[in-house]
Amino acid sequence: MDSGKGMLIVYSGPSGVGKGTIRKKVFERFGDKLFYSISMTTRAPREGEIDGVDYYFVTREYFEEQIEAGNFLEYAEFVGNYYGTPKDKVEKKLNNGYDVMLEIEVDGATQVKQKVEDAISIFVVPPSMEALENRLQGRKTEEQEIIQKRLEKARREIVLAGLYDYVVINDDLEEATEDVVSIIKSGHLKTPYSIPAYCKELIKQIKK
């Protein structure tokens, strides 16, 4: 990035809303200027998963050491395993000029916003709960009980969408993608991101 430091993007939305599909298309637009943050977890790798690509797979002891050291932007424990975003790895990418996207849940997003005040946050919502249910049903990969639990969780999450800086409605995939792209671009018009090297030079000349 021209300002010398990248921008942190907090990205959330309920299961089935299509945020993963949008994210992939957004990354195609930005190329290597945008980095996807890899989470750390204590769960065992699943078949085909690669350490450092899908997750950073670590022991519970190591994870808790990192908690004590304050080296997480956010973390939580689910079904006996920890999941979290390593602060040092994110900061390294930001300091090297990359924008970093964290795709995390609402609780984690709240933790990040408390620690990184200039992060921008985006929440993706469906056009309706009926549309969300149709998408979940259309997957044909889960039992009805699981789908209903996902819908109930989605209702709790959507109520908290107002905690985010931006809300994107995924009614049309291309439009939703353009909205996220525009939000990221507009984020770079805010200070401190809108003061690239040449602008700093102009300010120096004015102050002479």
Side-chain angles (χ1 to χ4, degrees), residues 14-18 129-144 146-154:
S15 178
V17 78
M129 290 306 297
E130 181 182 5
L132 182 62
E133 182 171 3
N134 289 340
R135 290 173 187 175
L136 289 170
Q137 297 283 5
R139 290 176 172 180
K140 300 185 185 300
T141 57
E142 296 175 322
E143 299 292 333
Q144 286 301 312
I146 300 298
I147 290 174
Q148 292 308 312
K149 286 182 178 179
R150 289 195 182 281
L151 287 170
E152 181 56 36
K153 186 170 183 287

Side-chain angles (χ1 to χ4, degrees), residues 97-160:
Y98 292 93
D99 287 343
V100 178
M101 178 178 280
L102 309 182
E103 187 175 322
I104 53 180
E105 297 192 357
V106 176
D107 289 344
T110 302
Q111 292 180 51
V112 174
K113 287 290 282 183
Q114 289 173 346
K115 295 175 182 176
V116 187
E117 293 183 358
D118 60 354
I120 64 168
S121 54
I122 304 169
F123 193 89
V124 182
V125 297
S128 67
M129 290 306 297
E130 181 182 5
L132 182 62
E133 182 171 3
N134 289 340
R135 290 173 187 175
L136 289 170
Q137 297 283 5
R139 290 176 172 180
K140 300 185 185 300
T141 57
E142 296 175 322
E143 299 292 333
Q144 286 301 312
E145 182 182 358
I146 300 298
I147 290 174
Q148 292 308 312
K149 286 182 178 179
R150 289 195 182 281
L151 287 170
E152 181 56 36
K153 186 170 183 287
R155 293 185 186 99
R156 295 195 301 269
E157 291 172 336
I158 291 170
V159 168
L160 299 174

Side-chain angles (χ1 to χ4, degrees), residues 5-114:
K5 186 174 182 179
M7 181 170 61
L8 185 62
I9 303 151
V10 177
Y11 181 71
S12 307
S15 178
V17 78
K19 61 184 180 294
T21 304
I22 294 170
R23 171 174 53 80
K24 289 176 183 176
K25 294 180 77 67
V26 169
F27 271 69
E28 289 172 2
R29 295 284 296 275
F30 285 99
D32 60 4
K33 293 181 180 179
L34 185 58
F35 178 79
Y36 182 65
S37 175
I38 301 169
S39 296
M40 184 177 289
T41 183
T42 58
R43 77 160 171 80
R46 294 171 183 156
E47 185 176 353
E49 289 184 329
I50 301 171
D51 182 45
V53 175
D54 298 287
Y55 284 94
Y56 296 110
F57 295 101
V58 300
T59 64
R60 188 176 186 86
E61 180 182 18
Y62 180 81
F63 198 106
E64 290 178 344
E65 287 174 357
Q66 296 303 297
I67 293 174
E68 286 294 318
N71 189 31
F72 284 106
L73 286 175
E74 57 84 27
Y75 72 93
E77 187 173 8
F78 298 105
V79 199
N81 285 305
Y82 283 119
Y83 296 82
T85 302
K87 183 169 66 174
D88 57 346
K89 297 183 185 300
V90 170
E91 288 181 344
K92 182 177 180 180
K93 286 293 182 181
L94 292 173
N95 290 334
N96 286 335
Y98 292 93
D99 287 343
V100 178
M101 178 178 280
L102 309 182
E103 187 175 322
I104 53 180
E105 297 192 357
V106 176
D107 289 344
T110 302
Q111 292 180 51
V112 174
K113 287 290 282 183
Q114 289 173 346

